[in-house]
Protein backbone atom coordinates (compact mmCIF):
# COMPACT_ATOMS: atom_id res chain seq x y z
CA UNK A 1 0.00 0.00 0.00
CA UNK A 2 1.37 3.44 -0.91
CA UNK A 3 2.31 6.10 1.64
CA UNK A 4 -0.58 8.18 0.31
CA UNK A 5 -3.10 5.47 1.08
CA UNK A 6 -1.59 4.65 4.47
CA UNK A 7 -1.83 8.23 5.66
CA UNK A 8 -5.10 8.84 3.84
CA UNK A 9 -6.54 5.68 5.36
CA UNK A 10 -5.50 6.89 8.76
CA UNK A 11 -6.93 10.33 8.03
CA UNK A 12 -10.25 9.00 6.78
CA UNK A 13 -10.55 6.21 9.28
CA UNK A 14 -9.41 7.70 12.53
CA UNK A 15 -11.80 9.37 14.89
CA UNK A 16 -13.10 12.67 13.52
CA UNK A 17 -13.74 15.42 16.01
CA UNK A 18 -16.56 17.73 15.11
CA UNK A 19 -18.07 18.53 18.48
CA UNK A 20 -21.09 17.01 20.15
CA UNK A 21 -23.42 17.54 17.18
CA UNK A 22 -21.23 15.72 14.67
CA UNK A 23 -20.36 12.99 17.17
CA UNK A 24 -24.03 12.01 17.03
CA UNK A 25 -24.26 12.30 13.22
CA UNK A 26 -24.54 9.32 10.91
CA UNK A 27 -21.25 8.14 9.40
CA UNK A 28 -20.29 9.41 5.95
CA UNK A 29 -21.68 7.44 3.02
CA UNK A 30 -19.15 8.76 0.50
CA UNK A 31 -15.87 10.62 0.51
CA UNK A 32 -16.20 14.13 -0.84
CA UNK A 33 -13.64 16.77 -1.66
CA UNK A 34 -10.93 17.21 0.93
CA UNK A 35 -10.80 20.29 3.10
CA UNK A 36 -7.11 20.90 2.33
CA UNK A 37 -5.83 20.34 5.84
CA UNK A 38 -5.92 17.86 8.68
CA UNK A 39 -4.95 18.38 12.34
CA UNK A 40 -3.81 15.27 14.17
CA UNK A 41 -3.02 14.37 17.78
CA UNK A 42 -0.43 11.59 17.64
CA UNK A 43 2.06 9.63 19.65
CA UNK A 44 5.63 10.81 19.05
CA UNK A 45 7.02 9.05 15.97
CA UNK A 46 3.66 8.02 14.49
CA UNK A 47 3.31 10.81 11.92
CA UNK A 48 6.78 11.79 10.83
CA UNK A 49 7.89 14.70 8.70
CA UNK A 50 11.58 13.79 8.73
CA UNK A 51 12.63 16.27 11.40
CA UNK A 52 14.22 13.58 13.56
CA UNK A 53 15.48 11.37 10.74
CA UNK A 54 15.08 12.27 7.04
CA UNK A 55 14.60 8.58 6.24
CA UNK A 56 11.25 8.74 8.04
CA UNK A 57 9.14 11.33 6.27
CA UNK A 58 5.64 10.19 5.40
CA UNK A 59 4.02 13.62 5.59
CA UNK A 60 5.85 15.57 2.88
CA UNK A 61 4.97 13.12 0.09
CA UNK A 62 1.36 12.93 1.27
CA UNK A 63 1.06 16.73 1.27
CA UNK A 64 2.57 17.01 -2.22
CA UNK A 65 0.43 14.23 -3.66
CA UNK A 66 -2.87 15.30 -2.10
CA UNK A 67 -2.50 19.04 -1.45
CA UNK A 68 -3.61 18.39 2.13
CA UNK A 69 -1.61 20.27 4.78
CA UNK A 70 -0.85 18.13 7.83
CA UNK A 71 -0.35 19.56 11.32
CA UNK A 72 0.56 17.28 14.20
CA UNK A 73 0.45 17.84 17.94
CA UNK A 74 2.26 15.07 19.80
CA UNK A 75 0.96 13.82 23.12
CA UNK A 76 2.91 11.79 25.64
CA UNK A 77 0.01 10.04 27.37
CA UNK A 78 -3.53 8.84 26.82
CA UNK A 79 -4.76 11.43 29.31
CA UNK A 80 -3.12 14.20 27.28
CA UNK A 81 -4.67 12.89 24.06
CA UNK A 82 -8.15 12.80 25.56
CA UNK A 83 -7.70 16.31 26.97
CA UNK A 84 -6.52 17.70 23.61
CA UNK A 85 -9.33 16.01 21.69
CA UNK A 86 -11.96 17.16 24.15
CA UNK A 87 -10.61 20.71 23.79
CA UNK A 88 -11.37 20.61 20.06
CA UNK A 89 -9.45 21.78 17.04
CA UNK A 90 -8.27 18.35 15.91
CA UNK A 91 -9.59 16.09 13.18
CA UNK A 92 -8.20 12.77 14.35
CA UNK A 93 -6.12 11.02 16.95
CA UNK A 94 -3.82 8.01 17.07
CA UNK A 95 -5.19 7.07 20.48
CA UNK A 96 -4.51 4.02 22.57
CA UNK A 97 -7.37 1.65 23.32
CA UNK A 98 -8.23 3.14 26.70
CA UNK A 99 -8.24 6.69 25.29
CA UNK A 100 -10.35 5.60 22.32
CA UNK A 101 -13.02 4.16 24.57
CA UNK A 102 -13.10 7.35 26.68
CA UNK A 103 -13.48 9.47 23.53
CA UNK A 104 -16.26 7.22 22.19
CA UNK A 105 -18.16 7.07 25.49
CA UNK A 106 -17.73 10.83 25.94
CA UNK A 107 -19.30 11.54 22.53
CA UNK A 108 -16.18 13.33 21.30
CA UNK A 109 -15.66 11.24 18.17
CA UNK A 110 -17.85 10.33 15.22
CA UNK A 111 -18.72 6.89 13.90
CA UNK A 112 -16.90 5.96 10.70
CA UNK A 113 -17.97 3.91 7.69
CA UNK A 114 -15.39 1.15 7.21
CA UNK A 115 -16.78 0.49 3.72
CA UNK A 116 -15.09 3.74 2.65
CA UNK A 117 -11.66 2.40 3.59
CA UNK A 118 -10.33 0.50 0.55
CA UNK A 119 -8.09 -1.92 2.44
CA UNK A 120 -10.13 -2.43 5.60
CA UNK A 121 -10.60 -6.08 4.67
CA UNK A 122 -6.82 -6.51 4.93
CA UNK A 123 -6.83 -5.54 8.61
CA UNK A 124 -6.22 -8.62 10.76
CA UNK A 125 -9.71 -10.09 11.34
CA UNK A 126 -8.96 -10.38 15.07
CA UNK A 127 -8.69 -6.58 15.20
CA UNK A 128 -11.48 -5.49 12.84
CA UNK A 129 -14.16 -5.35 15.55
CA UNK A 130 -12.00 -4.83 18.61
CA UNK A 131 -13.63 -3.34 21.69
CA UNK A 132 -11.29 -0.33 21.76
CA UNK A 133 -12.72 1.12 18.53
CA UNK A 134 -16.04 -0.70 18.01
CA UNK A 135 -18.99 -0.09 20.33
CA UNK A 136 -22.45 -1.61 19.80
CA UNK A 137 -21.37 -2.69 16.30
CA UNK A 138 -20.36 0.86 15.35
CA UNK A 139 -16.79 1.65 14.32
CA UNK A 140 -15.07 4.80 15.57
CA UNK A 141 -11.55 4.07 14.38
CA UNK A 142 -9.27 1.65 12.61
CA UNK A 143 -6.54 -0.40 14.25
CA UNK A 144 -3.27 0.81 12.80
CA UNK A 145 -0.77 -1.04 14.92
CA UNK A 146 -0.81 -2.80 18.23
CA UNK A 147 1.49 -3.65 21.08
CA UNK A 148 1.53 -5.78 24.17
CA UNK A 149 0.28 -4.54 27.52
CA UNK A 150 2.79 -6.16 29.84
CA UNK A 151 1.78 -7.02 33.38
CA UNK A 152 4.53 -7.10 36.00
CA UNK A 153 4.02 -8.20 39.56
CA UNK A 154 6.08 -8.80 42.68
CA UNK A 155 6.25 -12.56 43.38
CA UNK A 156 7.08 -11.81 47.05
CA UNK A 157 3.72 -10.05 47.42
CA UNK A 158 1.53 -12.27 45.21
CA UNK A 159 1.76 -15.97 46.00
CA UNK A 160 0.07 -16.95 42.70
CA UNK A 161 0.73 -15.40 39.31
CA UNK A 162 -2.15 -13.36 37.90
CA UNK A 163 -4.36 -15.41 35.55
CA UNK A 164 -6.04 -12.58 33.64
Amino acid sequence: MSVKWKLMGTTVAAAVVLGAFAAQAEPLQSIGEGEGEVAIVAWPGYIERGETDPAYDWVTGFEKETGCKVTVKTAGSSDEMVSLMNGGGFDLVTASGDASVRLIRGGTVQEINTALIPDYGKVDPRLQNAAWHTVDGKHFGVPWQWGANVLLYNADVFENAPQS
Side-chain angles (χ1 to χ4, degrees), residues 65-135:
E65 192 170 337
T66 65
C68 181
K69 180 182 185 291
V70 177
T71 57
V72 179
K73 169 74 174 165
T74 58
S77 70
S78 292
D79 288 340
E80 186 178 359
M81 286 185 169
V82 170
S83 178
L84 287 166
M85 292 297 287
N86 284 336
F90 295 98
D91 299 300
L92 62 96
V93 61
T94 63
S96 61
D98 70 301
S100 298
V101 171
R102 285 187 274 167
L103 292 166
I104 294 166
R105 297 285 185 210
T108 303
V109 294
Q110 180 178 345
E111 180 184 0
I112 63 166
N113 181 350
T114 58
L116 298 178
I117 303 165
D119 288 329
Y120 194 77
K122 294 180 182 177
V123 172
D124 186 317
R126 296 170 294 177
L127 301 176
Q128 287 181 2
N129 295 300
W132 56 87
H133 64 83
T134 308
V135 175

Side-chain angles (χ1 to χ4, degrees), residues 48-59:
E48 285 292 322
R49 188 181 291 281
E51 288 110 350
T52 306
D53 184 339
Y56 298 97
D57 181 359
W58 306 294
V59 175

Side-chain angles (χ1 to χ4, degrees), residues 7-31 35 37-41 81 84-95 100 103-104 106-114 116-117 133 139-142:
L7 193 51
M8 188 171 292
T10 302
T11 301
V12 171
V16 177
V17 177
L18 299 171
F21 176 74
Q24 297 172 12
E26 291 295 317
L28 296 175
Q29 298 304 307
S30 64
I31 298 175
E35 297 174 3
E37 62 183 308
V38 62
I40 305 169
V41 176
M81 286 185 169
L84 287 166
M85 292 297 287
N86 284 336
F90 295 98
D91 299 300
L92 62 96
V93 61
T94 63
S100 298
L103 292 166
I104 294 166
T108 303
V109 294
Q110 180 178 345
E111 180 184 0
I112 63 166
N113 181 350
T114 58
L116 298 178
I117 303 165
H133 64 83
H139 293 267
F140 293 85
V142 172

